[in-house]
Amino acid sequence: MKPDEPISTLKGIGPKTEELFHAIGVRTIRDLLFYFPRAYERYPEVRAIRELIPDQKNAVCIRVRKPPSVNRNSRMQTAVLDVRENNDSLRILWFRSPYIRSVIKAGETYVFYGRVTRKKDLLTMEQPEVLSPEKYEAQRMTLQPVYSLTKGLSNRQVQKAVEMALADPVPGSGYLNTGDDTKKDLALADLPLGLEYLPEDIRVRNHLSEYNFALKNMHRPADEQSCILARERFVFDEFFFFLLCMQLTKDQSASLANAFNFVQPGMRGKSATSDAAMNFVDSLTEKLPYELTGAQRRAIAQIQSDMRSEKVMQRLIQGDVGSGKTIVAFLAMLDCANSGYQSAIMAPTDVLARQHYHKLTQLCESLGCRYPVVLLTGSLGARQRREAFAVIEKEPNALIVGTHALIQEKVNYGNLALVVTDEQHRFGVKQRENFSLKGSCPHILVMSATPIPRTLAIILYGDLDISVIDEVPARRKPIKNCVVDISFREKAYRFMENQIREGHQVYVICPLVEASELSEGENVLDYTERLKSVFPEDIQISCLHGKMKPDEKNRIMEDFLANRTQILVSTTVVEVGVDVPNATVMMIENAERFGLAQLHQLRGRVGRGEAQSYCIFMQGEQQKGENRRLAVISKSNDGFAIAGEDLKLRGPGDFFGIRQSGDMIFKLADIYQDADVMGRASYEVTVLMKEDPHLSAAEHRVLRERLRDYAGEEFALLNL
């Protein structure tokens, strides 16, 4: 079996199942083996019937007195087993499984593991796993991988596919070498993806497990320690290759000369006099209906200085949610237009691009700036696109707003000098090359709403100069926070309804899209239906999650933005989203399952208008006592202070829960939890580049090939 073979080469994966794997981004064997679990869970302790918790998965040990009965008149041929323990009763059901009668024998003891619900006064467990007490106890000692799924695809299907891929090795051997004098023989064969690519000296210095050991133990961990070692190896790899690509392009970017002759501040052409000393951007800020913070003014000054220097700007604006990064970007774009050049701002979604377009248009009108503002997104009609292309090609100082449509082949820029993007895009080498081929090498401005401690930011954004906006505009009221348990839920619903009756809107965040086989927690689909049964019919409720098609997500967000929807139930896809000043309540279910950085990002969706806003952190049913993260975030709205606390609170065991940060740059690594690994990876990249800057040494041949896989089409653009 070869890594690039389609997933359908695995036994049991037919056309329908193959489509389900395609929906989660898995098309090849390589994709499958790198589709790591999003969490690991253990089977719970066995409970007595009276201790079972409804709406959760439970395990109960029962000595069966008589085998299940089968209702053959039912369409699904339901098998029913009624069990009693002292005065407590439990009904166990299996659907379409008449064979279960021959599996479960009278007089034998079994552990039944499944979801328990209460129907009227009767506890019911449906479709449980059936194991012997000995086998269940053995299972309890192992970690069960939990994969992100799509509707129709089960966790067990993914597990079986991974097991088949891992069970088809090519001859070889594997061992764990973490840098000591012993090698622990694991009787492993080399797995389909081939050879170890990290140089041995790097692995030994950093006590990293070998590739084959790590790959197997990411999916089938032998124990908790093996899982931790495996994850650390691939976290290191993610940081290492990201920073290596960044280093290989850094010198290239730094050498680019500034081809744009910007008007010097206070010197409007040859006719400028000392009486006209006021800078153009300063004159615009005087007309704004609010006062810019000192941090915003510093960022603007740094951007102006960069765009007038000898080199092309590569700058990051790092600011907390609500700190006013967008107005800084808009003012930089107006500075470009005033100097006779085009600028573009690239948004991650159509909805956000349209919002930027309307805000920028309104800003130009209010400031008396008569520059053309043009919108270009993939959802525009053919006539609108042609009109946008014409403006972009002919107007030398156009202000351009769009999505990734901005870098498609049909766009011809007349005079592009500045591109503003966000951290999700990171504006890679390929995109920069696309603009260069269109006749420009623009200044790059990246905006980040993730409050990263400066020591980490220097590593993560080492190719960029950094401007920090660490002040919040005075007109914004601090968000009021509270941490509550589920007993507060009904009161929270009444509070939400009161806010809606006052004309405001509400976000509700759930950790899951749909009910999961192994993972407990509120899910968007069921929660939306629950709220519809709780709130009056005149309150419109919608749901949003990452598995929806882009057009559907855009429609839902546009309805929420226009207040056609009053409650939006969503996963964390709203973490980076549109500005809805009318939204005043954010309720986060199972808040204990999120990291501090992500909780802070989610909270930042409210508090964007002048009305008082609120964030309700709802602890799940299993949570007892004070959660340290929730205690921190409930007492502070300062993202940078929270980021510092996040570094202190994170521990190596955190990754057994759901993914902690919302950072889209990495699939597995977490810049907070794995800050020390990132530091080590940065050091190794620096050493490697000094020793072999073009990776031409024979011992780096396999590393170079792995880098080719990682960089994809951008590999040809690296400085190798």
Side-chain angles (χ1 to χ4, degrees):
M1 187 181 300
K2 297 179 180 178
D4 292 327
E5 288 183 349
I7 191 76
S8 57
T9 57
L10 294 174
K11 183 180 177 181
I13 298 183
K16 289 185 178 179
T17 306
E18 184 179 20
E19 284 301 312
L20 294 174
F21 274 99
H22 288 178
I24 60 173
V26 174
R27 293 181 174 273
T28 66
I29 302 300
R30 184 195 305 276
D31 294 338
L32 177 65
L33 290 176
F34 275 88
Y35 192 72
F36 294 139
R38 65 172 178 81
Y40 301 89
E41 294 192 347
R42 295 186 186 277
Y43 282 101
E45 291 184 11
V46 172
R47 298 176 182 271
I49 292 178
R50 68 176 181 278
E51 298 173 333
L52 297 179
I53 303 173
D55 301 321
Q56 292 187 19
K57 282 204 166 186
N58 294 259
V60 61
C61 186
I62 298 291
R63 187 173 185 273
V64 176
R65 295 178 181 175
K66 61 179 182 179
S69 60
V70 178
N71 181 359
R72 299 188 184 277
N73 295 324
S74 167
R75 280 187 309 168
M76 294 189 289
Q77 293 194 44
T78 306
V80 182
L81 177 65
D82 287 312
V83 296
R84 291 183 61 83
E85 188 178 69
N86 299 323
N87 295 322
D88 303 305
S89 300
L90 174 68
R91 173 164 289 178
I92 306 176
L93 304 173
W94 293 266
F95 305 112
R96 299 188 184 92
S97 306
Y99 66 87
I100 207 76
R101 180 178 172 83
S102 61
V103 173
I104 298 174
K105 305 192 181 295
E108 297 293 329
T109 300
Y110 301 94
V111 175
F112 301 96
Y113 173 63
R115 180 174 293 274
V116 172
T117 58
R118 185 181 295 279
K119 298 184 177 179
K120 296 183 179 179
D121 293 327
L122 180 64
L123 282 178
T124 303
M125 179 182 284
E126 297 181 355
Q127 299 293 115
E129 291 183 52
V130 183
L131 302 96
S132 68
E134 296 77 19
K135 188 171 182 180
Y136 186 81
E137 190 57 32
Q139 290 277 56
R140 279 193 57 308
M141 303 305 293
T142 63
L143 292 169
Q144 304 298 314
V146 181
Y147 296 91
S148 295
L149 304 171
T150 189
K151 188 174 183 179
L153 186 66
S154 71
N155 200 72
R156 183 57 191 150
Q157 283 176 297
V158 180
Q159 283 182 300
K160 287 179 68 176
V162 169
E163 286 167 5
M164 282 188 283
L166 290 173
D168 189 22
V170 295
S173 63
Y175 56 85
L176 168 64
N177 182 356
T178 58
D180 54 22
D181 293 332
T182 61
K183 291 182 178 180
K184 180 182 177 184
D185 185 12
L186 297 165
L188 288 178
D190 287 334
L191 297 171
L193 292 187
L195 301 173
E196 172 62 75
Y197 43 80
L198 275 187
E200 187 168 4
D201 58 335
I202 291 179
R203 285 192 296 105
V204 170
R205 273 198 301 270
N206 292 278
H207 305 284
L208 298 173
S209 59
E210 286 193 327
Y211 167 77
N212 292 327
F213 170 89
L215 193 59
K216 178 180 178 181
N217 281 278
M218 280 300 297
H219 293 286
R220 297 189 313 200
D223 49 43
E224 186 171 310
Q225 183 59 27
S226 296
C227 189
I228 290 172
L229 286 170
R231 180 186 178 277
E232 183 177 353
R233 164 60 198 265
F234 287 117
V235 165
F236 182 93
D237 285 6
E238 281 196 338
F239 285 135
F240 182 82
F241 284 109
F242 172 80
L243 296 169
L244 183 58
C245 284
M246 188 175 69
Q247 185 66 39
L248 287 168
T249 59
K250 182 178 180 181
D251 294 340
Q252 209 175 45
S253 299
S255 65
L256 296 174
N258 184 358
F260 306 104
N261 182 24
F262 273 75
V263 175
Q264 292 293 331
M267 295 294 292
R268 291 290 296 128
K270 295 180 180 179
S271 61
T273 67
S274 58
D275 295 332
M278 179 176 285
N279 179 277
F280 171 71
V281 174
D282 285 344
S283 70
L284 295 182
T285 60
E286 293 286 329
K287 300 176 185 177
L288 291 173
Y290 49 81
E291 185 84 11
L292 292 182
T293 64
Q296 286 174 309
R297 291 180 181 276
R298 283 195 303 273
I300 292 168
Q302 289 166 341
I303 293 166
Q304 287 185 284
S305 176
D306 283 354
M307 291 196 297
R308 289 160 175 79
S309 70
E310 296 179 356
K311 300 295 182 183
V312 168
M313 177 177 69
Q314 308 278 332
R315 181 167 290 277
L316 169 75
I317 304 178
Q318 184 190 11
D320 206 349
V321 286
S323 61
K325 297 180 294 298
T326 305
I327 186 61
V328 170
F330 284 172
L331 290 171
M333 294 173 72
L334 289 169
D335 189 19
C336 273
N338 180 61
S339 295
Y341 297 113
Q342 293 178 332
S343 59
I345 183 166
M346 186 187 294
T349 66
D350 273 39
V351 177
L352 187 55
R354 290 176 186 275
Q355 188 173 64
H356 281 335
Y357 170 74
H358 292 306
K359 284 188 173 182
L360 185 53
T361 302
Q362 291 168 1
L363 181 68
C364 287
E365 290 175 356
S366 65
L367 297 179
C369 296
R370 293 181 174 82
Y371 304 123
V373 183
V374 59
L375 175 69
L376 181 60
T377 71
S379 63
L380 293 180
R383 182 178 61 82
Q384 292 172 307
R385 291 168 69 82
R386 285 195 299 271
E387 291 174 354
F389 291 153
V391 173
I392 292 170
E393 187 170 4
K394 296 176 181 178
E395 295 290 347
N397 57 354
L399 304 166
I400 306 159
V401 183
T403 56
H404 261 114
L406 292 174
I407 55 175
Q408 64 186 15
E409 292 180 6
K410 292 182 180 179
V411 185
N412 293 311
Y413 293 92
N415 206 14
L416 186 66
L418 171 67
V419 173
V420 183
T421 184
D422 63 41
E423 64 180 326
Q424 307 296 3
H425 287 148
R426 279 308 311 274
F427 202 73
V429 179
K430 184 64 177 177
Q431 288 87 348
R432 198 172 296 142
E433 177 75 1
N434 285 346
F435 278 119
S436 296
L437 293 174
K438 295 175 187 297
S440 65
C441 192
H443 297 292
I444 305 299
L445 190 63
V446 180
M447 294 194 294
S448 170
T450 305
I452 309 170
R454 186 165 183 81
T455 52
L456 298 188
I458 290 171
I459 297 173
L460 192 60
Y461 297 104
D463 56 335
L464 304 174
D465 295 314
I466 300 175
S467 294
V468 177
I469 301 179
D470 51 6
E471 300 175 57
V472 177
R475 64 188 183 280
R476 295 274 176 92
K477 294 180 179 178
I479 298 170
K480 292 185 178 180
N481 309 291
C482 67
V483 177
V484 296
D485 59 32
I486 59 173
S487 65
F488 186 83
R489 191 175 280 143
E490 294 303 319
K491 187 175 181 180
Y493 290 164
R494 291 196 299 273
F495 178 76
M496 289 157 59
E497 184 174 354
N498 289 337
Q499 286 287 300
I500 291 168
R501 296 305 179 199
E502 292 177 10
H504 300 303
Q505 291 165 273
V506 174
Y507 290 100
V508 177
I509 304 299
C510 297
L512 304 175
V513 173
E514 54 196 342
S516 168
E517 294 178 336
L518 289 175
S519 185
E520 300 294 342
E522 298 293 347
N523 71 86
V524 165
L525 299 182
D526 291 342
Y527 203 99
T528 302
E529 295 306 311
R530 184 197 305 172
L531 288 186
K532 287 180 179 178
S533 68
V534 170
F535 285 86
E537 291 185 1
D538 64 319
I539 292 178
Q540 299 302 307
I541 303 169
S542 295
C543 69
L544 179 72
H545 55 79
K547 295 180 182 179
M548 291 176 167
K549 294 180 179 179
D551 288 348
E552 187 178 8
K553 286 192 285 189
N554 287 339
R555 177 184 58 78
I556 290 168
M557 283 308 303
E558 284 175 350
D559 284 346
F560 191 62
L561 183 60
N563 201 7
R564 291 188 289 268
T565 298
Q566 286 73 53
I567 300 178
L568 182 63
V569 184
S570 176
T571 56
T572 56
V573 294
V574 301
E575 185 180 344
V576 177
V578 297
D579 188 0
V580 185
N582 197 47
T584 58
V585 180
M586 164 70 67
M587 184 164 80
I588 305 174
E589 290 281 357
N590 300 111
E592 74 282 352
R593 300 187 58 164
F594 299 92
L596 271 173
Q598 195 167 41
L599 288 171
H600 181 63
Q601 291 289 310
L602 290 168
R603 177 173 60 183
R605 292 298 97 206
V606 296
R608 292 175 170 265
E610 295 185 1
Q612 179 63 58
S613 291
Y614 308 86
C615 189
I616 303 168
F617 301 99
M618 185 76 68
Q619 291 191 129
E621 191 160 6
Q622 289 183 316
Q623 188 69 28
K624 296 180 180 179
E626 184 180 63
N627 180 286
R628 289 189 298 168
R629 289 197 192 106
L630 299 185
V632 167
I633 199 163
S634 66
K635 296 171 184 175
S636 176
N637 289 313
D638 184 338
F640 288 93
I642 289 168
E645 288 299 317
D646 207 0
L647 281 172
K648 296 176 187 176
L649 293 178
R650 292 295 180 92
D654 283 343
F655 72 89
F656 292 108
I658 64 170
R659 198 177 187 304
Q660 295 295 329
S661 82
D663 194 341
M664 299 300 291
I665 298 171
F666 306 109
K667 293 180 180 179
L668 191 65
D670 183 301
I671 59 175
Y672 295 94
Q673 175 179 318
D674 305 309
D676 62 327
V677 181
M678 183 166 68
R680 287 189 277 130
S682 177
Y683 170 79
E684 294 297 350
V685 166
T686 301
V687 172
L688 180 64
M689 288 293 92
K690 286 181 179 178
E691 294 176 351
D692 187 10
H694 300 292
L695 300 181
S696 54
E699 61 266 28
H700 295 148
R701 178 183 59 82
V702 181
L703 174 63
R704 187 186 179 99
E705 289 305 308
R706 179 68 187 91
L707 180 62
R708 186 188 301 275
D709 292 336
Y710 175 86
E713 61 182 4
E714 292 193 359
F715 180 80
L717 304 173
L718 298 179
N719 188 24
L720 287 174

Short mmCIF file of all heavy atoms in Angstrom, two decimals, residues 13 23 75 128 136 149 167 219 249 255 272 353 372 385 402 425 434 469 507 618 668 683 686 692 705 715:
data_model
loop_
_atom_site.label_atom_id
_atom_site.label_comp_id
_atom_site.label_asym_id
_atom_site.label_seq_id
_atom_site.Cartn_x
_atom_site.Cartn_y
_atom_site.Cartn_z
N ILE A 13 -14.21 0.13 2.36
CA ILE A 13 -14.51 1.52 2.03
C ILE A 13 -14.99 1.59 0.58
O ILE A 13 -14.21 1.61 -0.37
CB ILE A 13 -13.30 2.44 2.26
CG1 ILE A 13 -12.91 2.42 3.74
CG2 ILE A 13 -13.61 3.87 1.81
CD1 ILE A 13 -11.79 3.33 4.10
N ALA A 23 -15.36 14.22 2.73
CA ALA A 23 -15.98 15.36 3.42
C ALA A 23 -15.14 15.85 4.59
O ALA A 23 -15.24 17.01 4.99
CB ALA A 23 -17.39 14.99 3.89
N ARG A 75 -40.59 -2.75 13.37
CA ARG A 75 -39.88 -2.60 12.09
C ARG A 75 -38.39 -2.84 12.26
O ARG A 75 -37.71 -3.31 11.37
CB ARG A 75 -40.08 -1.18 11.55
CG ARG A 75 -41.40 -0.96 10.85
CD ARG A 75 -41.43 0.40 10.21
NE ARG A 75 -41.07 1.46 11.16
CZ ARG A 75 -40.78 2.70 10.81
NH1 ARG A 75 -40.80 3.05 9.54
NH2 ARG A 75 -40.47 3.61 11.72
N PRO A 128 -25.86 -0.32 23.57
CA PRO A 128 -24.59 -0.33 24.30
C PRO A 128 -23.60 -1.35 23.75
O PRO A 128 -24.00 -2.33 23.09
CB PRO A 128 -25.02 -0.72 25.71
CG PRO A 128 -26.21 -1.61 25.49
CD PRO A 128 -26.93 -1.01 24.31
N TYR A 136 -13.57 -5.22 29.82
CA TYR A 136 -13.87 -3.81 30.02
C TYR A 136 -12.79 -3.15 30.87
O TYR A 136 -12.37 -2.02 30.59
CB TYR A 136 -15.24 -3.63 30.69
CG TYR A 136 -15.63 -2.17 30.79
CD1 TYR A 136 -16.18 -1.51 29.70
CD2 TYR A 136 -15.43 -1.45 31.97
CE1 TYR A 136 -16.51 -0.16 29.77
CE2 TYR A 136 -15.76 -0.10 32.05
CZ TYR A 136 -16.30 0.53 30.95
OH TYR A 136 -16.61 1.86 31.02
N LEU A 149 -15.74 14.10 12.95
CA LEU A 149 -16.55 13.31 12.03
C LEU A 149 -17.46 14.19 11.20
O LEU A 149 -17.57 15.39 11.42
CB LEU A 149 -17.39 12.30 12.82
CG LEU A 149 -16.62 11.34 13.75
CD1 LEU A 149 -17.59 10.57 14.62
CD2 LEU A 149 -15.75 10.39 12.94
N ALA A 167 -1.70 -1.56 9.65
CA ALA A 167 -1.39 -2.99 9.65
C ALA A 167 -0.80 -3.47 8.34
O ALA A 167 -0.58 -4.65 8.16
CB ALA A 167 -2.66 -3.78 9.95
N HIS A 219 -2.49 7.21 16.94
CA HIS A 219 -3.78 6.59 16.66
C HIS A 219 -4.12 5.46 17.63
O HIS A 219 -5.29 5.27 17.98
CB HIS A 219 -3.78 6.03 15.24
CG HIS A 219 -3.73 7.07 14.17
ND1 HIS A 219 -4.80 7.87 13.85
CD2 HIS A 219 -2.72 7.46 13.34
CE1 HIS A 219 -4.48 8.70 12.87
NE2 HIS A 219 -3.21 8.48 12.55
N THR A 249 12.07 31.89 3.51
CA THR A 249 11.49 33.00 2.74
C THR A 249 11.83 34.36 3.34
O THR A 249 11.64 35.38 2.69
CB THR A 249 9.96 32.87 2.66
OG1 THR A 249 9.42 32.87 3.99
CG2 THR A 249 9.56 31.60 1.95
N SER A 255 14.92 41.23 1.28
CA SER A 255 15.75 41.83 0.23
C SER A 255 14.93 42.60 -0.81
O SER A 255 15.48 43.25 -1.68
CB SER A 255 16.54 40.73 -0.50
OG SER A 255 15.65 39.85 -1.17
N ALA A 272 4.47 71.68 -1.46
CA ALA A 272 4.25 71.64 -0.01
C ALA A 272 5.05 72.73 0.66
O ALA A 272 6.17 73.04 0.31
CB ALA A 272 4.65 70.27 0.54
N ALA A 353 -15.97 40.28 4.25
CA ALA A 353 -15.52 41.17 3.16
C ALA A 353 -16.58 42.23 2.87
O ALA A 353 -16.25 43.42 2.70
CB ALA A 353 -15.23 40.35 1.91
N PRO A 372 -12.20 55.51 -5.21
CA PRO A 372 -13.08 54.39 -5.56
C PRO A 372 -12.88 53.21 -4.60
O PRO A 372 -11.74 52.81 -4.33
CB PRO A 372 -12.66 54.03 -6.98
CG PRO A 372 -11.28 54.58 -7.15
CD PRO A 372 -11.20 55.78 -6.27
N ARG A 385 -18.56 41.14 -11.36
CA ARG A 385 -17.13 40.78 -11.37
C ARG A 385 -16.40 41.55 -12.48
O ARG A 385 -15.29 42.04 -12.27
CB ARG A 385 -16.96 39.27 -11.54
CG ARG A 385 -17.42 38.48 -10.33
CD ARG A 385 -17.52 37.00 -10.65
NE ARG A 385 -16.22 36.40 -10.85
CZ ARG A 385 -15.42 35.99 -9.87
NH1 ARG A 385 -15.79 36.15 -8.61
NH2 ARG A 385 -14.27 35.43 -10.13
N GLY A 402 -11.87 42.26 -0.57
CA GLY A 402 -12.27 40.97 -1.15
C GLY A 402 -11.86 39.78 -0.32
O GLY A 402 -11.38 39.90 0.81
N HIS A 425 -4.82 33.73 7.07
CA HIS A 425 -4.23 33.57 5.76
C HIS A 425 -2.71 33.55 5.82
O HIS A 425 -2.07 32.85 5.06
CB HIS A 425 -4.67 34.72 4.83
CG HIS A 425 -6.09 34.63 4.39
ND1 HIS A 425 -6.86 35.73 4.14
CD2 HIS A 425 -6.90 33.57 4.18
CE1 HIS A 425 -8.08 35.35 3.77
NE2 HIS A 425 -8.12 34.05 3.79
N ASN A 434 2.00 35.59 -6.67
CA ASN A 434 0.92 35.92 -7.59
C ASN A 434 0.84 37.43 -7.83
O ASN A 434 0.65 37.89 -8.95
CB ASN A 434 -0.42 35.42 -7.06
CG ASN A 434 -0.57 33.91 -7.21
OD1 ASN A 434 0.19 33.29 -7.94
ND2 ASN A 434 -1.53 33.34 -6.52
N ILE A 469 -1.16 46.73 19.66
CA ILE A 469 -2.22 47.64 20.10
C ILE A 469 -2.76 47.07 21.41
O ILE A 469 -3.54 46.12 21.42
CB ILE A 469 -3.34 47.76 19.05
CG1 ILE A 469 -2.76 48.28 17.73
CG2 ILE A 469 -4.44 48.68 19.54
CD1 ILE A 469 -3.79 48.43 16.62
N TYR A 507 -25.39 35.13 21.18
CA TYR A 507 -24.64 33.96 20.70
C TYR A 507 -24.72 32.85 21.75
O TYR A 507 -24.61 33.13 22.96
CB TYR A 507 -23.15 34.28 20.53
CG TYR A 507 -22.76 35.21 19.42
CD1 TYR A 507 -22.49 36.56 19.67
CD2 TYR A 507 -22.60 34.75 18.12
CE1 TYR A 507 -22.08 37.41 18.66
CE2 TYR A 507 -22.19 35.61 17.10
CZ TYR A 507 -21.93 36.93 17.38
OH TYR A 507 -21.51 37.77 16.38
N MET A 618 -20.83 28.59 31.05
CA MET A 618 -21.63 27.52 31.63
C MET A 618 -20.77 26.27 31.80
O MET A 618 -20.28 25.70 30.82
CB MET A 618 -22.83 27.22 30.73
CG MET A 618 -23.81 26.22 31.29
SD MET A 618 -24.86 26.90 32.59
CE MET A 618 -25.85 28.07 31.65
N LEU A 668 -2.34 20.53 14.95
CA LEU A 668 -2.16 19.80 16.20
C LEU A 668 -1.54 20.67 17.29
O LEU A 668 -1.95 20.62 18.44
CB LEU A 668 -1.26 18.58 15.93
CG LEU A 668 -1.14 17.53 17.03
CD1 LEU A 668 -2.49 16.85 17.25
CD2 LEU A 668 -0.09 16.48 16.63
N TYR A 683 15.02 27.09 17.73
CA TYR A 683 16.47 26.95 17.90
C TYR A 683 17.05 26.00 16.86
O TYR A 683 18.08 26.31 16.23
CB TYR A 683 16.79 26.46 19.31
CG TYR A 683 18.24 26.07 19.50
CD1 TYR A 683 19.21 27.04 19.72
CD2 TYR A 683 18.63 24.73 19.45
CE1 TYR A 683 20.55 26.69 19.88
CE2 TYR A 683 19.95 24.36 19.61
CZ TYR A 683 20.92 25.35 19.82
OH TYR A 683 22.23 24.99 19.97
N THR A 686 17.25 27.51 13.41
CA THR A 686 18.36 28.47 13.33
C THR A 686 19.69 27.75 13.14
O THR A 686 20.51 28.14 12.28
CB THR A 686 18.42 29.33 14.61
OG1 THR A 686 17.17 30.02 14.77
CG2 THR A 686 19.55 30.34 14.54
N ASP A 692 23.48 24.30 7.01
CA ASP A 692 23.15 23.87 5.65
C ASP A 692 21.97 24.70 5.14
O ASP A 692 20.83 24.22 5.08
CB ASP A 692 22.79 22.37 5.66
CG ASP A 692 22.59 21.80 4.27
OD1 ASP A 692 22.92 22.50 3.29
OD2 ASP A 692 22.10 20.66 4.16
N GLU A 705 12.81 16.23 1.10
CA GLU A 705 11.63 15.65 0.46
C GLU A 705 10.38 15.84 1.32
O GLU A 705 9.30 16.10 0.81
CB GLU A 705 11.86 14.16 0.16
CG GLU A 705 12.87 13.90 -0.95
CD GLU A 705 12.49 14.63 -2.23
OE1 GLU A 705 11.33 14.48 -2.69
OE2 GLU A 705 13.34 15.37 -2.76
N PHE A 715 6.87 25.09 -2.52
CA PHE A 715 8.24 24.61 -2.37
C PHE A 715 9.16 25.25 -3.41
O PHE A 715 10.29 25.62 -3.11
CB PHE A 715 8.28 23.08 -2.50
CG PHE A 715 9.66 22.49 -2.36
CD1 PHE A 715 10.22 22.31 -1.10
CD2 PHE A 715 10.41 22.15 -3.47
CE1 PHE A 715 11.49 21.78 -0.96
CE2 PHE A 715 11.68 21.63 -3.34
CZ PHE A 715 12.22 21.44 -2.08
#
